[in-house]
Amino acid sequence: TIELPGHWVLIPAQKTRADANAVIQELKTQGVTDFSIVQDPPERRNAISLGIFRTEEGAQLLLNTLRKKGVDKAMLQRRENFFRQALFYLREPDAGAVAKWNALRAAMPGTEVKAVACPE
């Protein structure tokens, strides 16, 4: 497993769920419709997630768009080990194994299956 950093655009945790709901109502009046309330871990409970990105540039683009809409509470936060990537190597797979991996890929958008040299 490889763990990669990510960039998160969020509104920091609110004291209560009611406070988070009030922030969401404000976001809706500002034209923001893509968000979710964080349930856990406890230190982030009631934060409002606005987007998760692999690159800082992608996160910054969203933050800039939110600022133009008047969302001044949003912030960008770098998170270590935000994305997890699993690598599997099959040495000399047969046709059945290849078919199963292709079916897994189809069931999980964004996954990649490719032929590479196995590490020693």
Side-chain angles (χ1 to χ4, degrees), residues 5 12-13 24 32-33 38 49-50 54 57-60 62 70 74-76 78 81-83 85-86 94 107 119:
I24 284 177
V32 179
T33 58
V38 177
S49 180
L50 298 162
R54 288 187 183 192
E57 293 79 19
Q60 191 62 55
L62 175 60
M75 60 182 282
L76 190 155
R78 180 179 167 93
N81 304 324
F82 208 63
F83 293 101
Q85 182 179 49
D94 61 20

Side-chain angles (χ1 to χ4, degrees), residues 16 33 35 106 110:
T16 66
T33 58
F35 50 78

Side-chain angles (χ1 to χ4, degrees), residues 86-109 111-115:
L87 302 175
F88 296 95
Y89 293 95
L90 296 178
R91 193 175 306 270
E92 301 177 19
D94 61 20
V98 171
K100 286 180 183 178
W101 279 105
N102 285 329
L104 284 171
R105 180 180 59 189
M108 295 183 285
T111 61
E112 183 178 358
V113 175
K114 61 182 178 179

Side-chain angles (χ1 to χ4, degrees), residues 12-84:
Q14 305 299 299
K15 289 182 181 183
T16 66
R17 179 66 181 242
D19 292 338
N21 286 332
V23 171
I24 284 177
Q25 289 306 312
E26 184 179 344
L27 288 171
K28 288 178 180 178
T29 64
Q30 294 167 311
V32 179
T33 58
D34 195 8
F35 50 78
S36 64
I37 297 178
V38 177
Q39 300 301 311
D40 48 57
E43 67 272 9
R44 292 190 188 94
R45 186 170 291 134
N46 296 321
I48 291 93
S49 180
L50 298 162
I52 300 168
F53 299 84
R54 288 187 183 192
T55 66
E56 185 175 1
E57 293 79 19
Q60 191 62 55
L61 283 172
L62 175 60
L63 188 60
N64 293 343
T65 299
L66 292 167
R67 294 274 188 262
K68 288 177 186 173
K69 291 182 175 190
V71 180
D72 58 354
K73 296 176 184 176
M75 60 182 282
L76 190 155
Q77 186 178 80
R78 180 179 167 93
R79 298 273 309 275
E80 296 302 321
N81 304 324
F82 208 63
F83 293 101
R84 288 190 171 89

